[in-house]
Amino acid sequence: MGTKASNQMWGGRFASGPDAIMEAINASIGFDRRLADQDIDGSLAHVAMLAAQGIVSPADAEAISDGLGRVRAEIAEERFEFKPALEDIHMNIEARLSEIIGDAAGRLHTGRSRNDQVATDFRLWVRDQCDAAVAGLTALMRALLDQAEAGADWVMPGFTHLQTAQPVTWGHHMLAYVEMFARDRARFADARARMNECPLGAAALAGTSFPIDREATAHALGFDRPMANSLDAVSDRDFALEFLAAASICAMHLSRMSEELVIWSSAQFRFVTLSDRFSTGSSIMPQKKNPDAAELIRAKIGRILGAQVALLVVMKGLPLAYSKDMQEDKEQVFDAADSLMLALAAMTGMAQDMTANAPALEEAAGAGFSTATDLADWLVRVLGMPFREAHHVTGAIVAKAEAAGCDLPELPLEAMQAVHPGITAQIFDVLGVRNSVASRQSYGGTAPDQVRAQVAAWKERLE
């Protein structure tokens, strides 16, 4: 009775009882197999150092290196059998190495622990992901620069509160995202530089009594230096958290751009047409062309930010040094990295393929009294009016135009002079949307000349 009840408690999946549950919760090979290349790289660097230091014989080191090469080939060719009973990628590789070369495989683990081994593997993997994110962001920035250059003088409405504010150029709007993604690129590069220290040789937590050369292994793996404290080396996951923080901010930027593409591609706006490659149809409404790629990118921030929060919560209460809780670090980072790279690739494709509707952009740019600020600036600049008074006069003129059912450039001069007699026909030189954007020549402004200068500067930076 007691045994039967106990088995029922474990459930059908774990019919064999507590041992099966322990194996299921303890094993990480289902996900950390992604660290295979990094694990083999770390082992090759470690055994080369052991041989150079006279800790293992040259013959054993050669056998281990050759055997690791065979293991790598088996994994690449999908001939490798991953065994959950061996828990993780480290033990799976070492067990197979032992089958290939015999007892010499047991010498590979001299002077290290799984604690510093996994910290090294994971750091190498995240470092590679930083490089991939930088490359992905660079490709996206180039696509946006092409859009900016093509539309340097296309006029469109600029918005605040999603209400028409002032005219800007398409190129200027595209360059805003270039700046945002450039900051993301810098964050990944900065995180990579900070994480480029090597945990290998810290062993379980206290270092090792073997005469190892940590500088040699660090440099062999492309690190700048070994980590200076063995406790910190095995317990630190800041590098993963920094990657997730940079990924979360980047995903937020991708989400903002996606939101605009969803709005702009709607029938109500008609600002852009997304290519068929990044759109889908409706199952029942034949007229629909849905911006599904943009919507899915917009959703990725949930998964990526969720991964950051999850890892922060895992790490927040852990005493030094290693705890098994830290096995929960990888799945979150793997998923976030996959989601980010997919979102970057999709956004780059959309940016390359999308077509701006220049006539619709210009028509919308002139609506909503978008040149009211230009009128106020003219009153200050030409008539010497204090800006607060100019703001009041402009508001009265806008009210007249609204009552007349026209925009500011169509309002008769006499109607403006009824508000302020000092206004002359020169006012119409600033009221057109093209005149408005051309006048914004301040550094970082929307004038076509400024846009072209920024495009040229960015292209030079990205070479």
Side-chain angles (χ1 to χ4, degrees):
M1 177 72 177
T3 303
K4 182 178 179 182
S6 177
N7 285 344
Q8 287 175 344
M9 286 175 63
W10 300 124
R13 183 177 174 193
F14 300 111
S16 59
D19 288 348
I21 292 178
M22 187 58 200
E23 181 178 299
I25 197 171
N26 192 51
S28 58
I29 190 60
F31 51 86
D32 70 12
R33 64 178 63 186
R34 294 181 66 160
L35 299 177
D37 271 333
Q38 289 78 16
D39 194 72
I40 291 170
D41 288 342
S43 291
L44 288 169
H46 184 66
V47 75
M49 178 274 296
L50 292 176
Q53 294 296 104
I55 299 170
V56 301
S57 70
D60 283 345
E62 183 177 0
I64 290 169
S65 297
D66 291 345
L68 288 169
R70 285 184 58 185
V71 172
R72 193 196 297 271
E74 289 179 5
I75 294 172
E77 295 163 9
E78 299 183 356
R79 294 186 290 111
F80 189 93
E81 182 186 359
F82 294 100
K83 299 175 181 178
L86 294 172
E87 294 185 15
D88 55 36
I89 187 63
H90 325 298
M91 297 304 293
N92 269 266
I93 288 175
E94 188 171 327
R96 178 61 183 137
L97 181 65
S98 182
E99 291 173 354
I100 294 171
I101 68 169
D103 291 343
R107 301 189 186 281
L108 171 59
H109 210 52
T110 307
R112 75 176 185 185
S113 160
R114 277 193 291 179
N115 293 355
D116 62 333
Q117 190 177 359
V118 69
T120 303
D121 294 356
F122 196 26
R123 195 173 285 249
L124 286 169
W125 193 91
V126 175
R127 190 179 71 179
D128 288 345
Q129 292 305 301
C130 286
D131 291 340
V134 167
L137 282 161
T138 301
L140 176 54
M141 290 168 67
R142 287 197 171 111
L144 292 169
L145 285 170
D146 288 342
Q147 285 282 352
E149 188 170 37
D153 55 4
W154 298 345
V155 183
M156 66 176 289
F159 300 93
T160 60
H161 309 278
L162 203 57
Q163 306 295 314
T164 299
Q166 295 175 311
V168 296
T169 53
W170 171 264
H172 194 56
H173 202 111
M174 294 296 103
L175 284 173
Y177 283 108
V178 171
E179 295 289 336
M180 290 160 69
F181 292 127
R183 291 192 296 273
D184 292 324
R185 199 173 74 132
R187 271 184 281 270
F188 283 113
D190 183 56
R192 187 200 195 282
R194 193 162 22 256
M195 73 177 63
N196 205 33
E197 296 183 342
C198 185
L200 194 58
L205 75 162
T208 178
S209 59
F210 290 97
I212 62 173
D213 183 350
R214 293 190 63 207
E215 292 282 352
T217 50
H219 293 152
L221 293 169
F223 289 108
D224 294 328
R225 64 191 71 84
M227 294 184 75
N229 184 285
S230 60
L231 285 167
D232 181 51
V234 299
S235 64
D236 171 53
R237 293 299 183 269
D238 289 0
F239 64 93
L241 288 166
E242 280 200 67
F243 170 78
L244 291 174
S248 295
I249 297 172
C250 182
M252 177 268 293
H253 289 154
L254 290 167
S255 181
R256 293 184 72 182
M257 186 171 180
S258 295
E259 173 74 1
E260 295 210 312
L261 293 180
V262 169
I263 293 170
W264 289 354
S265 62
S266 68
Q268 289 72 26
F269 273 73
R270 298 182 300 110
F271 283 6
V272 299
T273 300
L274 301 178
S275 75
D276 291 346
R277 291 201 307 151
F278 296 98
S279 306
T280 64
S282 165
S283 62
I284 63 169
M285 294 172 285
Q287 83 281 8
K288 293 288 294 297
K289 184 176 181 181
N290 299 324
D292 280 8
E295 292 171 358
L296 290 165
I297 293 170
R298 187 173 59 185
K300 291 298 184 187
I301 177 66
R303 293 175 70 154
I304 294 171
L305 178 59
Q308 183 188 9
V309 173
L311 185 53
L312 281 167
V313 173
V314 166
M315 297 300 299
K316 74 169 185 65
L318 297 187
L320 298 180
Y322 181 83
S323 297
K324 192 68 169 179
D325 311 50
M326 293 164 72
Q327 184 168 291
E328 293 294 316
D329 56 0
K330 296 167 200 65
E331 286 181 285
Q332 308 291 344
V333 177
F334 292 160
D335 184 74
D338 290 346
S339 295
L340 179 68
M341 293 310 299
L342 183 58
L344 282 171
M347 184 60 80
T348 301
M350 282 195 293
Q352 290 169 337
D353 289 1
M354 69 182 178
T355 303
N357 184 350
L361 291 171
E362 185 158 355
E363 180 182 352
F369 311 109
S370 64
T371 55
T373 306
D374 298 280
L375 193 158
D377 288 348
W378 185 90
L379 294 173
V380 172
R381 190 172 59 251
V382 177
L383 301 186
M385 193 179 292
F387 184 80
R388 288 300 172 201
E389 182 183 348
H391 189 281
H392 177 76
V393 169
T394 300
I397 293 173
V398 166
K400 280 184 172 291
E402 193 170 29
C406 67
D407 204 355
L408 291 175
E410 288 79 47
L411 190 67
L413 177 61
E414 295 78 15
M416 297 188 201
Q417 290 174 331
V419 177
H420 193 285
I423 296 175
T424 70
Q426 286 182 324
I427 193 69
F428 294 103
D429 292 340
V430 301
L431 290 184
V433 291
R434 290 188 171 276
N435 293 333
S436 173
V437 297
S439 71
R440 307 290 174 177
Q441 290 285 354
S442 57
Y443 178 78
T446 193
D449 289 347
Q450 284 292 322
V451 170
R452 291 188 177 94
Q454 289 289 344
V455 168
W458 268 116
K459 284 191 170 184
E460 185 175 344
R461 272 195 250 179
L462 294 180
E463 284 299 323

